[in-house]
Amino acid sequence: MTDLQTAAPSQPSTRVRDLLERMTLEEKLAQIVGFWEKSEGEAVAPLQGEFEVERGLDDVIKDGLGHLTRVYGTRPIDAVERARWLWDKQRWFVNETRLGIPALVHEECLTGLSAWGAATFPTPLAWGSSFDADLVTRMGEVIGRSMRTLGVHQGLAPVLDVIRDPRWGRVDECISEDPYLVGTLGTSYVRGLQSTGVHATLKHFVGYSASQSGRNFGPVHAGPREVADVLLPPFEMAVLDGGVRSVMHSYAEIDGVPVAANPELLTGVLRDRWGFDGTVVADYFGVAFLHLLHHVAADLGDAAGQALAAGVDIELPTGDAYLTPLAEAVRSGTVDEALVDRAVLRALAQKEELGLLDARFDDEPPTEVDLDSPEHREIAAQLAERSLVLLTNDGTLPVAPDARIAVVGPNADRTAALFGCYSFLNHVLAHHPDVPVGIESPTVLEALRREHAAQITYARGCAVDDDDRSGFDEAVAIASDADVAVLVVGDHAALFGRGTVGEGCDRDDLELPGVQRELVEAVLATGTPVVLVMLTGRPYAVDWALGRCAAAVQAFFPGEEGGTAIAGLLSGRVNPSGRLPISMPRSAGAQPYTYLHPALGGDGDVTNLSTVPTLPFGHGLSYTTFTHTDLRVAPGATTDGGLAVTVTVTNTGGRTGADVVQLYGHDVVASVTRPVAQLLGYHRVELAPGQSVDVELTVPAARLAFTDRSGRRVVEPGELRVWVGPSCAEREVEASVELAGETYAVTLDDARWTHVTAV
C-alpha cells in the first residue's frame, strides 16, 4: 500500500493545514461527507433508503458539511426559489459554524444540468456519433455557466466507461466502444465544464462497463492488459490532458477486489503514476456497499476504513459510513486518524481552489435565470443533427416534399423517447408524473408536422415494452394509404428495471423491446417504403430489417432538439454526418464484442459462428459522397516519436456535407496479440461540392503503445499498416510504414494523447 506521505495532496497550503489542525474529529468527518435532502418516493440511486440512517440537515451541519447533494436535481423546483434557499444555507455555514466553511454543491450534469427547466442535450452515445470534440467542449461550457450561476461547484460527469457489451443498461451514458474516442470527447467535456470554474468528475473509475454478462454491478473478469490498454486510457487522458479535478470510483469489483477498496487503482495508478491531486468521491452509497453488497467489510466502520485507505476521500451522497461508524472506528483504534486527515486535506484544498474558503455569500442569489437559452438550444440542435447516423438509404431519403407520410411507432410522439436515463425528465420527473417537462422538446411527429407540408397521419401501433398488439391494424391501415411510412421505434430510458435501457435496465437479448419487431414486420408487409428510425440508448440487432427497409436512421437519445433534427434529416434540411461509435451487433450471442478484437476474435475457419457485426464501427452515410485519396506517411516514423499521416478528402457529391476522416492502424507483428483495427485519429471536415482538402493527423507514440508481456507500456519497432476509410472495416486508401528505433517504454513526459489535426 502507498504510504500516507506519498499519497497526500501536493503541497497543501498553510491555510488548509491550519484548518485541519484546529478541527475536532467530528468537524473533520463533516468535511468528507455529503447530505441529501430528499423525501419518500424520490429514489434515484440503487438501494436508496435500504440502509441510510434517518437524519435531518440540522442534525448534521452543526460541525459543518463537505457536500450538499443535488440541491436542484432531486425534485422539480423553481431554480430561483431554490437558489435563495441555498444562499441562506451557505450563509448559515459561514456565520453559524465554528470554522465558517461553506458546503460544496454537486449535481448530475451528464446531458446538461439535471434541474427542472434546464437544457437537456444529447446523451454521450450521441456525442460519440458526432465525432465533434469542439462542439462537446462548447456544450460543457454552457452547462458549466448554468451551474456556476446557481452556486453549483462540481458536476458528476463525464462517464468514461468504454462500452464492452451492448446488453449493459448504462450504454446510453457512455461515449463509445473505442477508448481513444471516449478519451478525446470526454476530455473535451472536462475542459469545457472546468473552464467555467466547475469541477468535472470522471465516472466510473474503473472497469464498471466490463461487467459479467452485461449485468449492472456484475463482477469484472478483465485481465490486467485489458484494464491497462482499453479501460484506463480515457481516464488517463482526462487526468493528464484535461486536468480533471475529481474522480468517482466504480461500483465494480475486478478480479474479486472492489475498486472502492483497491489502493493499487485509486492511489497507485491515479495518484502515484498519473499525479492526480484532486478528490476521489464515492459513487452513491459505494462505501456502504463494501459491507452490504461486496461483503469484504464486516460493518460500516470497516468499510469506511478500507475506502479511506484505498483513497476514497468523500463519501457521497450522505455520511452513512464516514460519520458515526468511522468516528467509532477511529476512537477504537481500528482506523488510523491519519487517513481521515489525508482525505480532509484534499477536501479542503478543493474548496480553497474553488474559492469557497473565502466565500461569504453576502451577495444576492440570482433573481432571474435562463437555463435553456437560445445558446443552449443552438448547441443542442447542432449536436443532435451531427449525431444522427444514416445507416442505409435506397434513395427514399430525403422524403419528397409532396409525399404522404404515415408516422408509426411507440417513440414517434413520446417526449421521453428523446432523453437518456440521466436526463432530468427520465431520472427525476418519472417520480412526479403530474409535473410538466419544463422545456420545449418537440417529438418526432410534432417536428415532422412543422417540417413537412404534405399530409401526415399517425398511429402509435404499440408501446415500447409490452405485448399489446391492438394498435397494429390502425398502423397497417395508415401505412397502406401512405407514400412512405416513418416507423419510430426504440427504448424507454429509466432506472432499475423500470425501462428498457438505463441504470439497472440490462437486457438478455438485443431484439427491439416488446412487440416492436412484430410491428415493423407488419408495416413492411404493406409494401409501402419504410424508413426505420431508432430512438435508442443502445444498438439493437436489426439485421433482419435493414435490408428490407427503404432507409434506416440511428438516433441515440438526441435531446431536446432531437425531434427537430430527425425531422430535418427526413426532409433533407439536415445532411446526416454521424458515424457509429459502437458496432451494430448481429446477435446477443456474439457479445461481448468489440471492433478492437485480435485476429481470433473475428470470423475464421476455427468456428462455425459469425461475429461480424451488422454494421461496423465508424459507419454512416450522407446525402453527398466523399473520397479519400493520396495517403502519405511523413518520413521519420519512430517508436518514440510516432508518425504523421496526410490524406486528401474530396466531396464528390452534389451538396455540402461533413465527412469524418477516420485513420486506423494495425500492428502487423507484436509481442502480444493486437487489434485487427484501431482508431489512431479522426477529424470532422465540412466541404462544399467538389471541394478537396488535405487533412493531416498526428499520431503520438503513446497512441501506438500497448502493454507487453512484462507489463510495460511500450511501442515496438516493425511494420504498421495504416488506412483511411468510411469505417473500421473498409480500407479505402492504405499504406505500410516501418516504425524505426528500439522498443520504447512510454512515459508521462510524452505527449500522451493529444488530438492533433491540421487542415
Side-chain angles (χ1 to χ4, degrees), residues 390-708:
L390 181 59
L391 302 176
T392 63
N393 185 23
D394 67 0
T396 297
L397 292 181
V399 175
D402 59 349
R404 295 170 300 141
I405 301 175
V407 179
V408 175
N411 278 348
D413 195 31
R414 199 171 65 85
T415 300
L418 301 171
F419 303 114
C421 166
Y422 266 71
S423 66
F424 191 81
L425 187 150
N426 286 325
H427 204 75
V428 177
L429 281 187
H431 302 284
H432 304 271
D434 296 330
V435 177
V437 173
I439 55 175
E440 183 183 355
S441 49
T443 66
V444 174
L445 176 64
E446 291 168 343
L448 196 54
R449 281 177 170 158
R450 298 177 187 175
E451 187 98 22
H452 193 75
Q455 175 186 338
I456 293 178
T457 54
Y458 165 69
R460 187 178 75 146
C462 66
V464 169
D465 195 24
D466 64 25
D467 59 1
D468 184 359
R469 300 168 179 81
S470 60
F472 279 22
D473 289 345
E474 182 186 8
V476 166
I478 69 165
S480 298
D481 290 338
D483 297 317
V484 62
V486 174
L487 189 46
V488 190
V489 298
D491 277 319
H492 170 60
L495 289 85
F496 314 122
R498 296 191 289 268
T500 60
V501 73
E503 185 173 0
C505 297
D506 311 311
R507 302 291 292 183
D508 277 329
D509 60 50
L510 290 173
E511 291 287 342
L512 290 172
V515 294
Q516 292 184 75
R517 175 169 178 167
E518 293 179 42
L519 176 65
V520 176
E521 297 276 10
V523 175
L524 282 169
T526 65
T528 299
V530 171
V531 176
L532 184 67
V533 177
M534 291 175 284
L535 270 170
T536 68
R538 61 160 61 87
Y540 281 97
V542 291
D543 56 313
W544 54 269
L546 295 187
R548 299 160 60 194
C549 291
V553 178
Q554 175 65 65
F556 292 118
F557 292 146
E560 65 185 19
E561 290 285 350
T564 302
I566 291 169
L569 183 149
L570 297 176
S571 72
R573 174 179 55 82
V574 172
N575 189 354
S577 60
R579 304 292 187 265
L580 286 175
I582 180 173
S583 307
M584 185 71 71
R586 183 169 300 278
S587 69
Q591 307 309 314
Y593 172 86
T594 171
Y595 92 93
L596 292 164
H597 62 78
L600 289 178
D603 280 13
D605 297 332
V606 296
T607 177
N608 64 314
L609 295 177
S610 175
T611 61
V612 174
T614 298
L615 290 171
F617 174 90
H619 171 81
L621 305 179
S622 171
Y623 292 151
T624 190
T625 54
F626 299 93
T627 60
H628 307 94
T629 56
D630 195 17
L631 182 67
R632 291 147 279 164
V633 180
T638 62
T639 55
D640 62 346
L643 66 152
V645 177
T646 302
V647 66
T648 301
V649 187
T650 304
N651 182 344
T652 55
R655 64 177 290 180
T656 297
D659 182 38
V660 177
V661 181
Q662 304 168 48
L663 173 67
Y664 294 93
H666 170 59
D667 194 345
V668 177
V669 177
S671 59
V672 297
T673 60
R674 300 292 295 135
V676 296
Q678 177 184 356
L679 185 68
L680 298 180
Y682 66 89
H683 181 65
R684 277 183 64 97
V685 58
E686 186 161 318
L687 300 174
Q691 183 181 3
S692 293
V693 68
D694 285 349
V695 174
E696 179 185 349
L697 295 163
T698 302
V699 183
R703 210 174 305 155
L704 303 171
F706 60 90
T707 304
D708 69 5

Side-chain angles (χ1 to χ4, degrees), residues 248-379:
M248 176 180 282
H249 79 72
S250 158
Y251 287 136
E253 60 180 75
I254 302 176
D255 195 24
V257 181
V259 173
N262 190 328
E264 285 75 19
L265 287 171
L266 295 181
T267 298
V269 172
L270 186 59
R271 295 190 183 277
D272 295 344
R273 187 192 306 171
W274 296 345
F276 174 73
D277 65 353
T279 57
V280 174
V281 301
D283 202 346
Y284 282 15
F285 309 112
V287 176
F289 287 164
L290 294 175
H291 167 55
L292 293 162
L293 296 181
H294 293 294
H295 306 297
V296 297
D299 52 37
L300 291 181
D302 184 13
Q306 290 190 41
L308 278 174
V312 179
D313 303 311
I314 313 291
E315 184 184 16
L316 297 181
T318 58
D320 298 288
Y322 276 16
L323 286 178
T324 301
L326 180 54
E328 293 173 352
V330 169
R331 290 198 166 98
S332 70
T334 57
V335 173
D336 189 343
E337 191 170 351
L339 291 172
V340 175
D341 291 349
R342 180 178 70 175
V344 174
L345 282 174
R346 292 170 180 164
L348 292 177
Q350 182 183 22
K351 287 189 174 183
E352 183 179 44
E353 184 178 342
L354 287 164
L356 277 169
L357 298 188
D358 293 311
R360 309 303 298 172
F361 290 90
D362 49 10
D363 61 333
E364 290 302 314
T367 57
E368 185 177 346
V369 294
D370 188 352
L371 302 179
D372 192 23
S373 70
E375 184 181 14
H376 287 86
R377 298 203 73 94
E378 176 195 4
I379 295 170

